Amino acid sequence: MAGSEIALEVEGLVKHYAIRGAAARGAVVRAVDGVSLRIVAGETLALVGESGSGKSTVGRMILGLTPPTAGTVRLFGQRIDDLDHRRMRALRRDLQLVFQDPYASLNPRMRVVDIVGEPLANFGLVPAAERRDHVTEILRRVGLGPEHLDRLPHEFSGGQRQRLGIARAIASRPRVVVCDEPVSALDVSVQAQVINLLLDLQAEFGLAYLFIAHDLAVVEHVSHRTAVMYLGALVEVAPTRDLFAAPRHPYTQALLASVPVPDPTVPRRPPIEGELPSAVDPPSGCRFHTRCPLAEPRCRTVAPPLRVVAPGHEAACHLA
Ligand code: SF4
């Protein structure tokens, strides 16, 4: 269960990419345009949105893989967005990543004992003589056995590889884990096993998760709170139960309308229409106005701020 200590805090995070070439005339892609988030210890915050919304870029900036254009990232109160490479590496003990594609993140020529043991060696956590036993215990924790110690990544199924990726991520006993679409490449039956593993590890170690995902059915199951991104900005943040029961932002309402429901007679809102506008030249006023069925004239000129609309529930809509 989530506590009250702030594990991860992001303030005004911005990422603009300059477009090269004479014709660009100083144009930038506004991938992320002022995102602020907090996650407390033991909590899962889901970050959702369409492809191109900027959610993965937020994750990469938090992990120090992409430098922010502006804004701050704090891990347990310590600012980490301005660290050099060496200090960022040291910090990885506390801040880890679970990838969407574990195969791409695992060295195909390294054996499991070395893949999972590497963080233990890098951070000097376990003497070399004890490392194999320690890795065996970590593997046990993620549902793999000692018979897997000397295998190579290609000898595993997709679900087992993700367990391996999780084993490596938790080896250093981090306190915050960024999970970037961790189950979207897996079969549905395997997804549930991996999600349950992540939930068990959170309960055991008090991990805070930033869970980046587009599958809302998974998000509803796994997260305490959900933040919705549209075209580089947050449009709604709320306890997951409240957000799914009573979404306040028309974009969230449209996203939820696209989630399959077992009972086809349940009345549904129309799904979202149209393409995501370009992040080079986002719409003026409310960025969602070009697709919003409720748009009013003021929506084209006045950007609605993210404001509290109910306890713990924020939305950026003039009508929320
Ligand atoms: Fe729609 Fe206007 Fe609300 Fe934006 S501010 S979501 S355009 S009603």
Side-chain angles (χ1 to χ4, degrees):
M1 192 62 200
S4 57
E5 186 181 16
I6 297 172
L8 185 70
E9 185 171 28
V10 166
E11 277 290 328
L13 210 53
V14 172
K15 184 65 192 181
H16 291 174
Y17 293 99
I19 304 175
R20 295 207 180 91
R25 295 179 188 276
V28 294
V29 176
R30 298 168 178 273
V32 177
D33 233 355
V35 166
S36 299
L37 294 168
R38 278 180 176 190
I39 309 176
V40 298
E43 181 186 39
T44 300
L45 175 73
L47 188 57
V48 304
E50 291 167 277
S51 172
S53 62
K55 57 189 191 301
S56 286
T57 307
V58 170
R60 292 182 61 80
M61 286 192 280
I62 289 170
L63 290 157
L65 302 174
T66 298
T69 305
T72 58
V73 180
R74 287 188 164 80
L75 188 70
F76 289 94
Q78 184 199 348
R79 194 165 164 188
I80 62 168
D81 54 272
D82 55 355
L83 299 183
D84 59 27
H85 187 63
R86 186 182 58 80
R87 288 168 67 208
M88 196 68 202
R89 268 180 67 92
L91 192 101
R92 272 294 146 72
R93 181 177 173 184
D94 265 346
L95 176 63
Q96 280 287 342
L97 169 66
V98 173
F99 294 87
Q100 175 181 10
D101 178 2
Y103 197 53
S105 68
L106 302 172
N107 186 330
R109 288 181 297 276
M110 280 173 74
R111 300 196 175 276
V112 166
V113 64
D114 298 317
I115 289 172
V116 179
E118 194 173 49
L120 303 175
N122 287 348
F123 298 117
L125 300 177
V126 178
E130 298 170 24
R131 214 166 288 148
R132 195 174 175 88
D133 286 347
H134 208 90
V135 171
T136 304
E137 176 54 26
I138 296 169
L139 290 184
R140 186 196 63 75
R141 194 60 204 79
V142 301
L144 298 172
E147 70 277 16
H148 296 117
L149 278 168
D150 294 308
R151 293 193 192 166
L152 295 167
H154 77 265
E155 297 177 74
F156 292 86
S157 67
Q160 285 177 321
R161 274 185 215 142
Q162 193 53 295
R163 288 177 186 274
L164 210 49
I166 293 169
R168 183 179 160 89
I170 64 164
S172 64
R173 288 291 188 96
R175 293 188 285 174
V176 177
V177 180
V178 175
C179 303
D180 191 1
E181 302 272 12
V183 296
S184 59
L186 303 176
D187 292 342
V188 173
S189 58
V190 182
Q191 282 186 2
Q193 296 168 14
V194 172
I195 287 168
N196 287 336
L197 172 61
L198 289 169
L199 293 175
D200 288 348
L201 293 171
Q202 181 174 55
E204 186 171 346
F205 301 122
L207 295 169
Y209 290 140
L210 176 65
F211 196 93
I212 299 168
H214 68 274
D215 185 336
L216 293 170
V218 170
V219 163
E220 184 176 19
H221 183 65
V222 82
S223 65
H224 298 100
R225 287 188 303 131
T226 298
V228 182
M229 272 189 88
Y230 183 76
L231 209 54
L234 293 177
V235 296
E236 188 159 7
V237 184
T240 299
R241 193 176 299 172
D242 297 352
L243 187 114
F244 278 73
R248 300 295 193 95
H249 195 284
Y251 177 60
T252 313
Q253 293 167 358
L255 272 186
L256 291 177
S258 64
V259 179
V261 291
D263 181 356
T265 63
V266 172
R268 319 218 40 207
R269 294 184 181 87
I272 191 167
E273 290 184 351
E275 295 286 314
L276 191 69
S278 166
V280 176
D281 186 18
S284 59
C286 173
R287 291 180 175 202
F288 188 54
H289 84 253
T290 54
R291 301 168 84 188
C292 181
L294 306 178
E296 300 177 342
R298 62 173 165 163
C299 301
R300 295 194 197 97
T301 53
V302 183
L306 194 65
R307 62 188 172 86
V308 175
V309 294
H313 195 146
E314 296 172 283
C317 171
H318 295 308
L319 308 183

